[in-house]
Amino acid sequence: MFGARCLLRALRSCSSAPCPRHSPAARVSVRGALGVQSANGERVKVQGWIRSIRSQKEVLFLHVNDGSSLESLQVVADSSFDSRELAFGSSVEVQGQLVKSPSKKQNVELKAEKIEVVGNCDAKDSGFVHIHTPVITSNDCEGAGELFQVESSSKIKVPEENFFNIPVFLTVSGQLHLEVMSGAFTQVFTFGPTFRAENSQSRRHLAEFYMVEAEISFLESLQDLMQVMESLFKTTAMTVLSNCHKDVELCHKFIAPGQKDRLEHMLKNNFLIISYTEAVEILKQASQNFTFTPEWGADLHTEHEKYLVKHCGDIPVFVINYPLALKPFYMRDNEDGPQHTVAAVDLLVPGVGELFGGSLREERYHFLEQRLARSGLTEAYQWYLDLRRFGSVPHGGFGMGFERYLQCILGIDNIKDVIPFPRFSHSCLL
């Protein structure tokens, strides 16, 4: 699993030898460099992230990308530049000569004279611990009641027996288990199957799908959480484009023409942020007629989500601070008024709608106690309440639907086409 955040460090140079005096290097984007048809040794400066690195006895090859192009620029350097800080995900500034490449795969390459590591990003040092959360659980994390109940087949013969002594279900989220583990390891994640008994055959719903979920202790603001979410989306997308470019190109060419440009547009722009209240006002002022009338206090539907993304220029947009009544008990109360909201965030992306969902968690014992009491859940979640009694800290987390993520980067319209064995209502083949 790729690290969700890079730890920024002081600017460091990978070469201790003084550089010869040259005329100032012109800063160019990766896209601009790759577009040069006849390179004649022009001195340029490129800034971006390392997408792959290959070290040979006398030469070092880097592939650098800045988000301006799906293709990376090959950097060729002397092996003396090699350093443990030159790793996948590290941000670098490379100065050198743009020359014609002997390879047929690209027109040009950058012959490096100077490489500076701007920010180190070793996935092993990102601090996230992989937790295998259980598939069978007694919790309804989302509180929507859309659960598959698990029972022993022997119950058919002996109805009064219950294997676990309590009702248990297939998991809808590993979040609550991750919250437990984040108290020991600070930053944790899981990647595994989740299940929803939602009676839907839409193009974006499955009964069984995979989720990437993360939980981070000592996190105090939605801004910090959104930075992790945006970084995960962009870093993972660039890694897929770097390592599986032929597969991605196949989809973009034959299934989703124009998706390459749309994806580039997403990756090179900072994601936008609007509040739920602002989102409702945008929808109310829209000339489009919606099936579900937008109003404050109501859920945003897929048609609303897709409109908001288009309104924002087809750039992914974070919607924050949802009404308290719409969200589960564990989301942190914003203590605002008169419209009562919680510190929740959804990331909406072009073509799909909601991709990420996250929030700050309610770490304050009395607030959580009151929410559970109002919902009649105190007894069932006493263990969760006890976490707030013993060394509780501000924390937050999110989940990303993996199949929807594939839809987003590949341009696949139907979620059933990005999973080998789709399960949905009235269909469970094989």
Side-chain angles (χ1 to χ4, degrees):
M1 173 58 64
F2 306 109
R5 290 191 296 180
C6 295
L7 305 177
L8 295 179
R9 296 180 180 175
L11 191 66
R12 302 175 184 179
S13 174
C14 292
S15 174
S16 57
C19 292
R21 293 185 178 274
H22 294 289
S23 58
R27 180 181 174 183
V28 298
S29 66
V30 168
R31 187 186 187 112
L34 292 173
V36 175
Q37 296 300 315
S38 55
N40 295 307
E42 297 90 341
R43 296 200 67 254
V44 299
K45 175 171 65 177
V46 172
Q47 297 166 318
W49 291 267
I50 297 176
R51 295 308 171 204
S52 67
I53 182 168
R54 179 163 51 93
S55 180
Q56 296 184 353
K57 187 175 181 180
E58 297 182 352
V59 66
L60 182 69
F61 294 98
L62 305 176
H63 284 93
V64 176
N65 199 296
D66 61 358
S68 65
S69 169
L70 294 182
E71 297 179 25
S72 298
L73 175 65
Q74 179 167 281
V75 175
V76 182
D78 187 89
S79 59
S80 62
F81 281 98
D82 201 2
S83 162
R84 65 182 300 272
E85 292 187 339
L86 286 178
F88 167 79
S90 297
S91 53
V92 293
E93 179 178 289
V94 184
Q95 296 186 36
Q97 293 180 298
L98 200 61
V99 299
K100 182 176 175 58
S101 175
S103 173
K104 294 181 180 179
K105 294 183 179 181
Q106 65 269 328
N107 293 326
V108 298
E109 60 188 26
L110 182 57
K111 185 178 180 181
E113 297 168 350
K114 183 180 181 182
I115 303 177
E116 292 180 337
V117 176
V118 179
N120 182 274
C121 186
D122 187 343
K124 295 179 182 178
D125 295 334
S126 63
F128 281 82
V129 177
H130 189 181
I131 305 295
H132 295 277
T133 54
V135 171
I136 298 176
T137 178
S138 58
N139 302 316
D140 176 9
C141 180
E142 295 301 308
E146 297 168 341
L147 304 168
F148 288 106
Q149 188 162 347
V150 178
E151 297 177 351
S152 169
S153 60
S154 63
K155 188 174 180 180
I156 299 172
K157 302 175 181 178
V158 191
E160 65 274 10
E161 290 186 6
N162 188 312
F163 189 87
F164 292 103
N165 294 330
I166 57 172
V168 296
F169 314 94
L170 294 179
T171 183
V172 296
S173 170
Q175 177 206 315
L176 300 185
H177 299 98
L178 287 181
E179 284 195 60
V180 175
M181 301 308 294
S182 70
F185 298 106
T186 307
Q187 299 183 123
V188 293
F189 77 95
T190 191
F191 179 49
T194 53
F195 307 85
R196 304 281 170 89
E198 188 171 5
N199 188 19
S200 172
Q201 297 188 28
S202 79
R203 290 175 174 269
R204 68 177 209 145
H205 287 98
L206 291 168
E208 178 184 4
F209 56 96
Y210 274 70
M211 286 264 283
V212 180
E213 299 180 84
E215 203 70 28
I216 307 162
S217 291
F218 303 101
L219 189 92
E220 299 189 34
S221 74
L222 280 180
Q223 188 65 45
D224 290 340
L225 183 62
M226 289 185 288
Q227 286 179 0
V228 180
M229 294 162 72
E230 182 170 349
S231 176
L232 175 62
F233 178 91
K234 290 184 174 178
T235 301
T236 307
M238 294 305 301
T239 304
V240 171
L241 294 171
S242 175
N243 295 333
C244 312
H245 64 277
K246 290 186 178 179
D247 302 282
V248 176
E249 286 173 3
L250 186 69
C251 288
H252 289 175
K253 182 177 180 180
F254 294 105
I255 300 175
Q259 183 64 17
K260 178 179 178 180
D261 292 336
R262 290 190 288 269
L263 185 55
E264 282 186 3
H265 184 62
M266 284 188 265
L267 294 176
K268 73 180 182 181
N269 284 286
N270 293 326
F271 294 177
L272 304 179
I273 304 171
I274 61 174
S275 69
Y276 168 87
T277 301
E278 291 170 328
V280 171
E281 288 304 311
I282 291 170
L283 293 169
K284 284 183 176 181
Q285 295 171 19
S287 58
Q288 178 176 328
N289 292 321
F290 297 109
T291 303
F292 298 93
T293 302
E295 58 181 341
W296 203 97
D299 252 327
L300 298 181
H301 293 267
T302 303
E303 59 178 348
H304 301 145
E305 294 168 353
K306 290 184 176 181
Y307 178 87
L308 289 169
V309 175
K310 284 191 175 297
H311 177 83
C312 293
D314 282 323
I315 296 172
V317 56
F318 290 107
V319 180
I320 64 173
N321 298 330
Y322 282 77
L324 179 144
L326 288 180
K327 294 298 182 180
F329 63 86
Y330 53 76
M331 295 192 176
R332 197 177 199 275
D333 192 332
N334 281 330
E335 297 182 84
D336 52 358
Q339 296 174 323
H340 205 167
T341 67
V342 290
V345 55
D346 288 340
L347 177 62
L348 314 181
V349 298
V352 174
E354 181 190 345
L355 177 61
F356 282 77
S359 75
L360 300 183
R361 315 310 190 193
E362 185 56 84
E363 87 283 3
R364 297 165 296 183
Y365 180 87
H366 293 297
F367 280 83
L368 183 58
E369 183 181 41
Q370 292 171 8
R371 291 283 298 278
L372 288 170
R374 286 197 298 268
S375 304
L377 297 172
T378 301
E379 183 178 353
Y381 288 92
Q382 185 61 51
W383 67 269
Y384 186 74
L385 191 57
D386 285 345
L387 294 175
R388 274 62 177 171
R389 296 176 58 201
F390 306 104
S392 178
V393 299
H395 61 288
F398 61 83
M400 179 187 79
F402 182 65
E403 285 79 12
R404 287 191 185 180
Y405 163 76
L406 291 178
Q407 281 187 275
C408 178
I409 65 169
L410 299 177
I412 306 296
D413 186 51
N414 195 326
I415 196 169
K416 300 174 184 65
D417 293 330
V418 293
I419 187 169
F421 306 104
R423 274 79 170 93
F424 51 95
S425 61
H426 310 297
S427 178
C428 186
L429 301 177
L430 302 183

